[in-house]
Amino acid sequence: EAQVTQNPRYLITVTGKKLTVTCSQNMNHEYMSWYRQDPGLGLRQIYYSMNVEVTDKGDVPEGYKVSRKEKRNFPLILESPSPNQTSLYFCASSKFLKTGVNTEAFFGQGTRLTVV
Amino acid sequence: GQQVMQIPQYQHVQEGEDFTTYCNSSTTLSNIQWYKQRPGGHPVFLIQLVKSGEVKKQKRLTFQFGEAKKNSSLHITATQTTDVGTYFCAGQDAGGTSYGKLTFGQGTILTVHP
């Protein structure tokens, strides 16, 4: 079954304690991205990756890090979480065509993060 | 940078009424996608439009892509309670400054009263 798997689904942590949210896809997709969802703001892109070892900043990258060492995995790292990073996070993957068109995005189930 | 505005933010309808959400981009798009997110769920892909002026239908849902490829709409005919959720548009900039990046609108939250 084609899927994007995120872990954990829920996480409560304290300010400053480093954490990693994992994301894995089994569709051999080139393009992967992280979004955060906040009420009234839609889905804002944090980071994206075009392929292995290629990552770039999205709209709200401050306070986040990513890596793409393998095609299937794209972890999101919060080195020193702060309360304003409390949000719902989604990982997504899609096939990126040679024409430059990004196709249907498959989303993970989401990670609800609370930083206290 | 590219901005995608979506209106309305909220829409409450009686079951059986029609519903439309609109999406406008500050830049020309290479394509636009629509997603639905059920309460407590994750966004699920509905459709992708690529051609100028394109119209596609999925049962009671009609999707349009503007002639200038800067706006789009989703229309639902005769809403049902199963249509409840948030509808997002997502546009890919044709300019190529952010290669492959999808910019999402703020979403329209649809409530359907039985």
Side-chain angles (χ1 to χ4, degrees):
Chain A
E1 179 190 356
Q3 60 183 4
V4 177
T5 304
Q6 274 180 250
N7 280 297
R9 293 288 311 278
Y10 302 91
L11 179 60
I12 302 175
T13 190
V14 296
T15 299
K17 185 177 181 181
K18 180 180 178 179
L19 67 92
T20 299
V21 185
T22 63
C23 174
S24 180
Q25 52 98 0
N26 63 358
M27 295 165 279
N28 200 38
H29 284 163
E30 299 82 11
Y31 194 92
M32 296 186 75
S33 55
W34 276 101
Y35 298 89
R36 61 178 288 173
Q37 184 175 18
D38 303 289
L41 297 178
L43 290 157
R44 294 181 294 167
Q45 193 179 55
I46 303 170
Y47 268 94
Y48 65 96
S49 170
M50 299 290 292
N51 216 322
V52 176
E53 301 292 0
V54 181
T55 63
D56 209 344
K57 296 177 180 178
D59 297 314
V60 288
E62 294 78 20
Y64 305 93
K65 285 176 58 177
V66 293
S67 68
R68 188 93 180 272
K69 296 177 182 176
E70 304 165 281
K71 197 170 186 179
R72 63 185 293 122
N73 296 323
F74 191 44
L76 179 69
I77 302 158
L78 284 72
E79 294 272 3
S80 183
S82 62
N84 64 12
Q85 293 179 297
T86 293
S87 187
L88 177 59
Y89 291 87
F90 287 103
C91 177
S93 76
S94 56
K95 188 168 183 57
F96 194 76
L97 304 178
K98 291 179 182 178
T99 55
V101 172
N102 212 344
T103 62
E104 170 186 359
F106 290 80
F107 283 79
Q109 297 294 317
T111 297
R112 187 164 293 281
L113 172 66
T114 302
V115 183
V116 298
Chain B
Q2 181 196 16
Q3 292 186 352
V4 176
M5 305 299 292
Q6 193 174 348
I7 57 170
Q9 187 173 359
Y10 302 94
Q11 186 74 60
H12 307 274
V13 299
Q14 289 292 132
E15 190 172 20
E17 292 181 341
D18 293 356
F19 158 75
T20 304
T21 174
Y22 300 90
C23 189
N24 288 286
S25 171
S26 60
T27 61
T28 303
L29 302 171
S30 67
N31 68 91
I32 194 158
Q33 301 176 15
W34 285 92
Y35 293 80
K36 177 183 179 181
Q37 183 180 23
R38 294 182 187 275
H42 60 279
V44 175
F45 175 84
L46 293 175
I47 208 161
Q48 182 174 34
L49 304 173
V50 179
K51 298 177 182 176
S52 169
E54 191 168 14
V55 179
K56 287 189 176 180
K57 292 189 175 184
Q58 290 179 350
K59 298 183 181 178
R60 295 178 294 104
L61 277 61
T62 302
F63 304 86
Q64 292 188 334
F65 199 11
E67 293 288 343
K69 300 184 78 173
K70 295 184 73 174
N71 58 77
S72 181
S73 65
L74 158 59
H75 179 81
I76 302 179
T77 304
T79 54
Q80 300 175 358
T81 54
T82 53
D83 295 324
V84 164
T86 302
Y87 292 84
F88 290 101
C89 62
Q92 184 179 348
D93 190 2
T97 53
S98 299
Y99 204 47
K101 182 179 185 292
L102 276 179
T103 300
F104 281 79
Q106 297 93 330
T108 296
I109 301 172
L110 173 63
T111 306
V112 180
H113 300 284

